[in-house]
């Protein structure tokens, strides 16, 4: 198995993910080659919690017109996110 540092990039913290945290779900940005069992093991080992379920979301980066370079198109990078559901009673302190 891979180390947790080669699976998890960073936790995603926003208003929407804070609302999910109340339902015992946490969102992480992960590397594109990570799969569900690797993500579950990495979160369990890193934060000492029990993972019940992992959902993976692949989002495409937005394409925008450049404001400084006339006619240039800029594309944001694609992002892979993992929504991890923890066992009832487990908690992760991100802030």
């Amino acid at each position: 198995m891979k180390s947790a540092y080669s699976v998890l990039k960073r936790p995603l913290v926003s208003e929407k993910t804070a609302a999910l945290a109340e339902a015992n779900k946490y969102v992480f940005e992960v590397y594109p080659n990570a799969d569900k069992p690797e993500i579950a093991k990495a979160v369990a080992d890193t934060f000492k919690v029990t993972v019940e379920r992992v959902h993976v979301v692949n989002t495409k980066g937005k394409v925008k017109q450049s404001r400084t370079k006339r006619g240039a198109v800029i594309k944001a990078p694609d992002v892979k996110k993992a929504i991890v559901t923890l066992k009832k009673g487990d908690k992760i302190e991100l802030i």
Side-chain angles (χ1 to χ4, degrees), residues 50-68:
T50 305
V51 176
E52 284 189 345
R53 187 169 211 158
V54 177
H55 291 280
V56 176
V57 179
N58 287 304
T59 59
K60 301 286 184 186
K62 290 185 177 180
V63 178
K64 298 180 179 181
Q65 295 289 327
S66 174
R67 298 180 87 183
T68 57

Side-chain angles (χ1 to χ4, degrees), residues 10 15 20 40-41 43 46 53 60 77 95:
R10 64 187 177 107
E15 289 182 27
L20 284 173
K41 184 169 178 6
V43 171
T46 304
R53 187 169 211 158
K60 301 286 184 186
I95 297 176

